[in-house]
Amino acid sequence: MQIKGLRIIFLTLFLSVVLTFAGFSVNAESEPIHGGTLELARVDDATELDPHTTTAHPSRRIFELVYSNLIGLDADMQPVPELAESWDISEEGDEYTFYLRDDVYFHNGDHMTSEDIAYSIERILDEETGAAARSHIADIENVLTPDDYTIVFELKSPNASMLLHLADANAVIVNKAVAEADSLNSVENTVGTGPFQLSEWYPDEEMTLIRHADFYEEDKPYLDEIRFTVIPEEFSIVAGLRTGQTDFALLNLPTAALAIEEQTPNVTLSSELSLRWTPLFVNTEREPLDDIRVRQAINYAINREEMIASAMLGEAEPIGPIPSSLTFWAYDVSQSPFYQQDIDRAEELLREAGYEDGFTISINFMSGYEEVLSQVQVLQNQLEKVNINLELNSLERGIYIDRWVDADFDLSLSTNAGAADPDFYLFRYFHSEGSLAFIHGHWSNDRVDTLLEEGRREVDEELRQEIYLEAQEILIEEAPFIWLNAPYEYFAFADHVKGFTPLPTGGINYLKDVWLDN
Amino acid sequence: MSAYIIRRIILILFALVGVSIIISLLTMALPADYVDIMLGTEQRTLTETQIQSLRSLYDLDDSWFERYRRWIVSIFQGTMGHSLRTGRPVSTEILMRLPVSLELALGATIIGLVIGVLLGVLSAIYREGLSDFVIRIFGLTGLSIPPFWLGLMVILGLALFFNWTPPRGRAINILADPIGNFKQFIFPVLVLSVAMAAALMRISRSAMLEVLQSDYVRTARSKGLTERVVLIKHCLKNAFIPILTLASMQMAYLIGGTVVIESVFSLNGIGILLLNAVNTRDYALVQGVVLVITFFFAFINLITDLIYGFLDPRIRYE
């Protein structure tokens, strides 16, 4: 179904057939207008609706609109008030006190109090729930509710990432009465405090969200309704944007984004460097990858810019262990010698390691994603130049996941979910006790262990930044992973759609600010 | 005749039982289950207890026999089990999607038959002439164009030149809103019918050519019958059996096999339903859809066999 050649032929046709229309009109700033339906198209539908167990991105997009968190994130991934108006963190960093709004109502009319928050956090922490966010907030030891509008978390140990994890779409606040009575995996039981209320769902076809009249932010949301339509083929979405059938679209393919940028008048494309990241997972337990010189040689043999240019039409950025979208935390990879292709150095390292005649290794990746396949092919090409023969294992999703969780591969490539927090990208993988440290075959480094522990505790941002920069430098040199690039999150919207703020999470939380200028 | 039909229906039931066993064994054999896929590579960040409680939430811990027994019982209860994802009965899910698949398959078959047979007959009559040449080029092209590409081209062409896209989202019910339904289905049906028409054109042409050379056609002509009567009554009727065989097989295939067109035109038939169900390991749904597709295959075959007898009275049903 996803044939690259066809797409390119198509793209050329698309680009050549159409006349280019003049650029954008200048919009004067004006007052938001209430009303209207936003027609939103995307390729996948929500899978399930329990916000604490469903981690699929299409479902998270819905949770962002229907539920609220204790705190939110702005476009720079900084905490902003949401259900909590303000908060205090104790000096030791082990006690968080949140002061809640007193004017928050659920979609069913229930008044929200600290009881609901305590219940939601406890529901996530309860192992029986199977909540994905549990591991991120497991440091919370006690939840106290001194009064209806105050909530206190006592932590086992200080955790500087706590705030960001509380802003995650899988850590939203649910209605205690509803959740205690029944499963949350249904339209009726999707009762949140967010700007929109889930009204109808026809899986894989359409989902309708309607305005929450008692939403706590005054005047908002402006839209009466958002209709999510599932159109699995991205170019078909582009056609709908062009004809005005669709007002707003979430896209993934660089080819579709380029088609919009160049050929669709009256549609704005917003490309936001993503928090998602594409590394080469390296199994450091297997020969010859157990040799650091071999891993470094691979790093030198790779040309990331070429890979991005030819496999992703230029629509990605090279990254280190923390993706560049987290500007403050990311290591500037352009300074790193390991990010300059150097075939001679690569050959020298291979010779030192005793592999001057090369070797054969294999790479696992998920089938059905054209940009993944293209990247792997470019990689194969680049490694060939230093006599490394790369065998391509294209695997069905389930098989890919099975092998991944058993670390059954030499190399593995996939694009992974991210978070607004540096700890998320490092601790779980590279601390020797990290939950995902199995993936590179338990590579470990004492200095990195210490740094990651300090980073987790350090509340001073400047000091914390230094800690993570040092850790990243070691990681790049030791290469337990070989980091490649981060893609973009694409939001495309018609010019009459006003007031949207894109997020690097791919989140659409700020549809609450959007209005239609018809 | 009725004894024959009853015997065939019993055979269909046996086939369904066989398929139900095979498919439920195959779904069990698939690597990774619903919870694995749901958690993806985050799986190991959850504790054992967490994963275990998710597995038991979806009843994934039972043995094959227990699952199969439960499924069979649910078929007799009319639910065919419940989708793990939506929690709704599988029968409800299928009944919601089936009209889309049937309309696509039936529409494409009818249009494909009309155009394909017409062109095939023309091409046989004017054998080696210019129209034969043009029609054969169409046949070759129609078979070679991937429907996925053609569908995209149609959507983009409509958007570029007519600034129009067919309605997307929910399938429009043909009885409730025939015009809306027409707008939604006409282009996907046409795209599907291209390959269908091309295949049927080729087989009609060769069948007609064969019949045209037979003795009874010469006899009919020498009897002084008009060419029209000869062609329609004597030739076409006799040439129709291979055409019908191909058309019915194609139609049966289209019921579950329009995934690509469904995704380009954003129509949700049972093709996409099955694909998504397999990808997420929604076991009951996979089994239910496969069973329904099997049923239609068998059913269409039975109907085809009955039409054979109507076309050729020499065929007897013993």
Side-chain angles (χ1 to χ4, degrees):
Chain A
M1 184 157 40
Q2 309 223 339
I3 306 162
K4 193 183 162 223
L6 280 180
R7 276 187 200 284
I8 299 218
I9 293 171
F10 152 72
L11 187 70
T12 334
L13 278 173
F14 191 81
L15 298 181
S16 57
V17 167
V18 208
L19 294 167
T20 315
F21 286 75
F24 309 103
S25 57
V26 184
N27 349 310
E29 282 302 315
S30 48
E31 282 294 296
I33 303 167
H34 280 269
T37 298
L38 184 81
E39 294 287 348
L40 186 151
R42 56 176 180 170
V43 288
D44 328 275
D45 198 7
T47 54
E48 294 195 20
L49 295 174
D50 184 326
H52 293 156
T53 59
T54 313
T55 52
H57 285 263
S59 290
R60 286 167 56 97
R61 299 291 89 89
I62 301 300
F63 305 150
E64 288 158 4
L65 297 174
V66 171
Y67 290 100
S68 312
N69 291 69
L70 215 38
I71 61 153
L73 291 178
D74 66 9
D76 300 322
M77 299 287 97
Q78 293 305 309
V80 289
E82 211 161 275
L83 294 176
E85 277 176 318
S86 60
W87 52 89
D88 286 333
I89 303 171
S90 69
E91 207 130 307
E92 297 74 35
D94 58 358
E95 192 179 288
Y96 285 63
T97 310
F98 296 89
Y99 305 100
L100 309 176
R101 301 181 71 113
D102 59 4
D103 55 352
V104 180
Y105 293 88
F106 284 99
H107 298 145
N108 64 358
D110 290 357
H111 190 184
M112 190 211 69
T113 66
S114 54
E115 284 294 305
D116 295 295
I117 310 235
Y119 175 80
S120 302
I121 298 302
E122 277 156 7
R123 184 171 189 266
I124 293 170
L125 291 173
D126 182 358
E127 292 190 73
E128 291 294 313
T129 312
R134 183 182 180 278
S135 67
H136 301 309
I137 62 165
D139 279 335
I140 297 179
E141 194 164 37
N142 287 310
V143 180
L144 310 172
T145 51
D147 64 57
D148 273 1
Y149 304 110
T150 309
I151 186 144
V152 180
F153 298 154
E154 291 177 354
L155 272 49
K156 289 175 200 148
S157 55
N159 186 332
S161 315
M162 189 53 72
L163 278 184
L164 293 166
H165 288 312
L166 290 172
D168 189 85
N170 286 126
V172 295
I173 304 308
V174 299
N175 182 313
K176 182 181 179 185
V178 173
E180 272 182 339
D182 202 355
S183 150
L184 291 180
N185 186 24
S186 72
V187 174
E188 312 79 68
N189 290 339
T190 300
V191 178
T193 53
F196 294 94
Q197 178 180 354
L198 181 53
S199 116
E200 274 186 310
W201 185 29
Y202 301 94
D204 295 332
E205 296 182 336
E206 247 177 54
M207 187 182 263
T208 310
L209 267 52
I210 55 172
R211 181 170 194 269
H212 176 203
D214 287 329
F215 183 54
Y216 50 84
E217 282 185 53
E218 209 178 334
D219 239 25
K220 290 176 184 173
Y222 301 113
L223 298 166
D224 284 341
E225 202 174 284
I226 304 176
R227 189 151 63 219
F228 285 76
T229 304
V230 180
I231 303 178
E233 173 52 52
E234 294 204 9
F235 282 105
S236 194
I237 296 182
V238 174
L241 278 166
R242 201 187 148 86
T243 61
Q245 186 184 45
T246 298
D247 301 314
F248 191 105
L250 303 175
L251 300 167
N252 305 305
L253 294 178
T255 41
L258 285 180
I260 288 189
E261 215 160 39
E262 301 183 18
Q263 301 300 338
T264 314
N266 307 323
V267 173
T268 306
L269 178 77
S270 152
S271 315
E272 194 69 20
L273 195 57
S274 179
L275 292 174
R276 290 183 292 141
W277 51 294
T278 310
L280 270 181
F281 293 106
V282 181
N283 191 334
T284 63
E285 261 176 350
R286 288 200 187 167
E287 264 185 70
L289 297 165
D290 55 347
D291 190 323
I292 181 173
R293 288 167 298 192
V294 171
R295 302 199 297 269
Q296 290 179 339
I298 293 178
N299 226 334
Y300 280 120
I302 294 174
N303 182 339
R304 291 173 174 79
E305 281 75 20
E306 182 187 74
M307 197 165 173
I308 290 168
S310 58
M312 308 186 72
L313 305 173
E315 293 283 298
E317 294 286 334
I319 53 160
I322 296 175
S324 347
S325 48
L326 288 182
T327 338
F328 185 72
W329 306 109
Y331 181 82
D332 179 7
V333 290
S334 61
Q335 309 172 0
S336 167
F338 292 99
Y339 279 69
Q340 317 302 324
Q341 187 184 34
D342 187 342
I343 302 286
D344 294 339
R345 181 84 186 105
E347 281 173 339
E348 195 186 315
L349 282 164
L350 287 175
R351 211 166 27 243
E352 278 172 27
Y355 293 103
E356 58 267 51
D357 300 328
F359 52 82
T360 298
I361 47 173
S362 66
I363 182 164
N364 287 1
F365 59 99
M366 240 185 254
S367 60
Y369 297 88
E370 63 181 65
E371 38 337 327
V372 170
L373 177 64
S374 319
Q375 287 183 72
V376 171
Q377 285 168 337
V378 173
L379 194 67
Q380 185 180 39
N381 230 310
Q382 293 178 346
L383 292 184
E384 212 166 40
K385 294 188 186 121
V386 292
N387 271 329
I388 299 176
N389 179 23
L390 194 59
E391 273 176 11
L392 309 188
N393 288 341
S394 171
L395 304 173
E396 188 269 343
R397 171 185 296 266
I399 303 173
Y400 178 87
I401 292 171
D402 251 18
R403 302 250 172 104
W404 199 92
V405 296
D406 291 337
D408 180 12
F409 54 79
D410 298 336
L411 298 175
S412 188
L413 184 148
S414 62
T415 301
N416 304 276
D421 167 56
D423 178 77
F424 176 90
Y425 295 92
L426 303 179
F427 194 95
R428 47 200 219 138
Y429 295 106
F430 305 113
H431 190 278
S432 46
E433 315 239 300
S435 54
L436 297 175
F438 71 92
I439 197 61
H440 42 65
H442 301 285
W443 165 92
S444 78
N445 177 301
D446 292 342
R447 180 66 188 149
V448 170
D449 275 7
T450 318
L451 287 169
L452 295 182
E453 284 160 25
E454 282 175 12
R456 200 167 245 203
R457 278 195 307 265
E458 184 56 68
V459 240
D460 182 291
E461 295 246 308
E462 304 291 329
L463 292 175
R464 198 171 179 223
Q465 184 192 36
E466 263 171 50
I467 292 170
Y468 283 126
L469 290 180
E470 187 188 339
Q472 290 179 80
E473 202 167 340
I474 302 175
L475 287 168
I476 291 172
E477 189 177 340
E478 290 267 329
F481 287 2
I482 293 169
W483 290 270
L484 298 175
N485 58 60
Y488 287 91
E489 300 290 342
Y490 299 111
F491 308 89
F493 42 94
D495 284 349
H496 62 264
V497 176
K498 308 285 186 195
F500 180 68
T501 310
L503 293 175
T505 55
I508 50 175
N509 310 49
Y510 288 100
L511 281 182
K512 69 178 178 191
D513 298 341
V514 160
W515 53 283
L516 299 176
D517 186 12
N518 282 326
Chain B
M1 175 95 163
S2 53
Y4 171 81
I5 296 178
I6 289 169
R7 206 168 64 232
R8 281 291 298 268
I9 290 175
I10 292 173
L11 279 175
I12 290 179
L13 288 177
F14 272 114
L16 289 176
V17 171
V19 166
S20 75
I21 294 175
I22 293 170
I23 187 65
S24 85
L25 282 170
L26 282 180
T27 51
M28 277 293 272
L30 282 174
D33 64 18
Y34 187 76
V35 169
D36 291 326
I37 303 259
M38 177 174 146
L39 298 173
T41 53
E42 289 291 300
Q43 201 179 121
R44 298 267 296 251
T45 65
L46 272 69
T47 62
E48 254 332 290
T49 324
Q50 282 186 295
I51 293 177
Q52 214 38 56
S53 74
L54 285 172
R55 287 226 158 87
S56 55
L57 179 69
Y58 296 107
D59 290 331
L60 296 178
D61 289 327
D62 300 331
S63 66
W64 172 77
F65 183 77
E66 171 55 23
R67 280 202 229 174
Y68 185 69
R69 191 196 59 80
R70 217 173 35 222
W71 183 47
I72 295 297
V73 170
S74 69
I75 291 176
F76 285 103
Q77 290 165 343
T79 60
M80 303 179 88
H82 288 78
S83 159
L84 292 178
R85 174 183 166 203
T86 62
R88 293 192 300 208
V90 168
S91 53
T92 312
E93 297 282 353
I94 293 177
L95 284 176
M96 275 171 50
R97 313 296 188 93
L98 200 55
V100 172
S101 292
L102 290 181
E103 188 171 348
L104 285 174
L106 206 64
T109 309
I110 292 171
I111 295 180
L113 256 180
V114 171
I115 298 176
V117 172
L118 202 72
L119 293 180
V121 170
L122 280 177
S123 155
I125 296 171
Y126 302 108
R127 188 178 176 190
E128 304 302 332
L130 179 66
S131 43
D132 180 30
F133 180 72
V134 172
I135 291 171
R136 281 163 70 190
I137 296 267
F138 161 80
L140 217 58
T141 325
L143 279 180
S144 328
I145 292 183
F148 161 70
W149 183 82
L150 188 61
L152 253 185
M153 281 312 171
V154 167
I155 284 257
L156 290 163
L158 289 170
L160 292 183
F161 300 113
F162 300 96
N163 202 29
W164 183 80
T165 20
R168 259 86 73 90
R170 294 200 64 200
I172 298 168
N173 187 303
I174 191 165
L175 298 174
D177 179 5
I179 297 173
N181 177 277
F182 181 80
K183 284 185 191 160
Q184 199 171 31
F185 278 85
I186 182 65
F187 289 101
V189 163
L190 282 178
V191 168
L192 284 172
S193 65
V194 168
M196 187 80 138
L200 290 172
M201 184 289 278
R202 286 162 64 96
I203 201 154
S204 328
R205 180 176 182 274
S206 61
M208 278 298 280
L209 284 176
E210 202 183 310
V211 174
L212 278 170
Q213 282 157 8
S214 61
D215 294 342
Y216 60 83
V217 170
R218 198 164 4 125
T219 315
R221 279 189 179 138
S222 56
K223 261 194 334 195
L225 292 179
T226 61
E227 192 63 16
R228 220 176 90 186
V229 175
V230 173
L231 280 176
I232 294 176
K233 255 194 105 171
H234 294 266
C235 298
L236 193 54
K237 200 172 167 193
N238 280 300
F240 215 75
I241 287 193
I243 301 176
L244 184 71
T245 312
L246 182 69
S248 68
M249 289 312 290
Q250 292 269 1
M251 181 176 154
Y253 163 75
L254 280 186
I255 286 177
T258 56
V259 180
V260 162
I261 287 299
E262 286 172 38
S263 81
V264 171
F265 286 91
S266 177
L267 280 169
N268 282 284
I270 55 176
I272 285 195
L273 186 66
L274 178 60
L275 185 72
N276 287 342
V278 172
N279 282 340
T280 58
R281 310 291 193 262
D282 199 337
Y283 300 115
L285 200 52
V286 174
Q287 294 172 185
V289 177
V290 170
L291 207 59
V292 166
I293 293 175
T294 314
F295 167 77
F296 274 100
F297 250 97
F299 178 74
I300 290 174
N301 264 324
L302 174 60
I303 301 288
T304 313
D305 285 349
L306 295 177
I307 301 178
Y308 285 162
F310 168 76
L311 288 174
D312 184 348
R314 285 173 304 179
I315 294 176
R316 288 270 172 272
Y317 301 103
E318 300 296 336

